[in-house]
Amino acid sequence: MHATIDFVINCFKTYNSLIFRNSLPLPPVSISNGRTRMAYIKYRRDKTIDNKYHYHSFSLHVSSYYDLSQTVLEDIVIHEMIHYKILYEQLTDTSPHGRLFKNWMNHINQTYDRHISISFRCPDMAQDKTVYKCIVGIIEFRDGRKGITHCAKSKLIDIYKYFEGEPSIAVQRWFLYTCQVPLKFPRVVTPKVYKCSTKEIERIISMSSLLVYMGGAFRVSG
């Protein structure tokens, strides 16, 4: 079956009651035709006076591209509901699929006999030879934190210069990421840094070529 708005809404209501004790308000739902991104929670965030983020304006987006079993589609929706719960309750996880997410995922799989996973790959995806090329910055802060920014090529120099003048940033390194696995971080046109695990940073670097800033432009090193 292919995902529909009615299916997603009914699925959300069913598992909101069964698993999340009706703690999640139903967000707006839309259906896309995405081939590499099965579902995601969209949201806005505002920085608070105590230098934290407040998440709001949630919406749930699910792809109808693949013909999947009802069970698999339910698992995909529940996966996004875990993300939604963490964001809606303003909780802080160690990464996009960090400790809190995995605790919830493992609890739901064991308690309700589900098969939720960190990522979803359809057989068609495995055969996809698309190569993704992205500009990514690895940002290291003076307090030891590290993160990533997925930058629009047209805004690279502007964002680079902004980070150069940002006192809290110790090091910025830029790479051309080339891989068949798309980045899970949204592309930005303004300076934004997303929390990222050391393991994920190392994976991204291993799939990338170093960029150097020379003569007012970035070029691939070597």
Side-chain angles (χ1 to χ4, degrees):
M1 64 180 296
H2 295 271
T4 64
I5 288 180
D6 286 344
F7 172 84
V8 174
I9 289 175
N10 289 335
C11 181
F12 184 99
K13 289 180 177 179
T14 297
Y15 293 104
N16 189 27
S17 174
L18 179 64
I19 298 173
F20 299 101
R21 304 297 184 264
N22 287 318
S23 62
L24 301 174
L26 176 66
V29 173
S30 70
I31 301 297
S32 72
N33 197 39
R35 191 161 54 94
T36 60
R37 197 178 189 187
M38 279 304 305
Y40 62 98
I41 291 287
K42 187 177 180 179
Y43 57 88
R44 295 181 62 186
R45 67 175 188 174
D46 298 324
K47 207 164 193 178
T48 62
I49 57 174
D50 56 354
N51 211 33
K52 296 181 180 180
Y53 285 105
H54 174 72
Y55 300 93
H56 62 97
S57 302
F58 301 99
S59 56
L60 173 58
H61 304 260
V62 180
S63 173
S64 64
Y65 185 88
Y66 292 100
D67 186 1
L68 303 172
S69 70
Q70 178 175 330
T71 299
V72 170
L73 279 174
E74 288 173 345
D75 285 344
I76 289 169
V77 173
I78 298 169
H79 175 121
E80 297 308 319
M81 292 176 74
I82 299 173
H83 284 304
Y84 181 30
K85 179 177 178 61
I86 292 170
L87 292 166
Y88 179 75
E89 296 187 354
Q90 311 298 321
L91 303 177
T92 301
D93 206 350
T94 54
S95 68
H97 293 103
R99 187 179 65 253
L100 282 178
F101 182 93
K102 289 174 183 174
N103 285 346
W104 267 101
M105 180 182 73
N106 293 334
H107 165 72
I108 293 168
N109 284 341
Q110 294 169 9
T111 305
Y112 301 97
D113 193 27
R114 306 303 309 189
H115 298 88
I116 305 164
S117 60
I118 294 296
S119 61
F120 170 82
R121 289 187 69 82
C122 226
D124 289 355
M125 293 182 185
Q127 298 168 11
D128 189 357
K129 301 302 181 182
T130 302
V131 175
Y132 298 90
K133 291 187 176 182
C134 310
I135 304 294
V136 296
I138 306 301
I139 311 301
E140 300 181 23
F141 292 87
R142 297 191 185 279
D143 61 7
R145 292 176 298 129
K146 294 182 181 180
I148 186 171
T149 182
H150 175 196
C151 177
K153 185 177 180 180
S154 63
K155 297 296 182 180
L156 173 56
I157 292 178
D158 290 343
I159 292 177
Y160 167 78
K161 290 181 177 179
Y162 176 89
F163 287 152
E164 278 286 284
E166 175 53 54
S168 64
I169 293 176
V171 178
Q172 57 171 318
R173 293 176 292 158
W174 290 91
F175 298 87
L176 176 63
Y177 172 83
T178 307
C179 188
Q180 283 183 255
V181 181
L183 282 175
K184 60 186 177 184
F185 302 95
R187 186 169 58 180
V188 301
V189 295
T190 57
K192 290 182 182 179
V193 180
Y194 294 95
K195 185 183 295 184
C196 188
S197 68
T198 299
K199 183 177 180 181
E200 178 68 2
I201 287 174
E202 290 174 350
R203 185 193 71 80
I204 290 171
I205 291 176
S206 72
M207 302 288 184
S208 304
S209 301
L210 179 66
L211 296 174
V212 294
Y213 187 61
M214 298 174 56
F218 277 91
R219 295 178 174 83
V220 175
S221 178

